[in-house]
Amino acid sequence: LASAIPAAPSNIGTFEAAAVVAGTTIGLAAETALAIGLLSHVLILAVTSIGGLIAFARLGWAAPSPAGDPGG
């Protein structure tokens, strides 16, 4: 639900705010919930970025072929 709120790229800020709200709801200190939110957000972004870089390195970048071109 927090990702539905307009935010900066990668939901920076709203992701962490949602983590604090969720963490404090289950009894964590706000600082601990924020730390967990930051750590999980960084790990999610790192894993997807590394995966994207690997795919980019293996597949390269090619412009899409024009419609009707059998070579593409």
Side-chain angles (χ1 to χ4, degrees), residues 15-16 19-20 31-44:
F15 186 93
E16 289 75 14
V20 170
E31 296 82 11
T32 303
L34 178 61
I36 292 170
L38 283 170
L39 181 63
S40 65
H41 202 181
V42 167
L43 290 174
I44 290 167

Side-chain angles (χ1 to χ4, degrees), residues 17-30 32-34 36-37:
V20 170
V21 169
T24 54
T25 300
I26 62 169
L28 293 175
T32 303
L34 178 61
I36 292 170

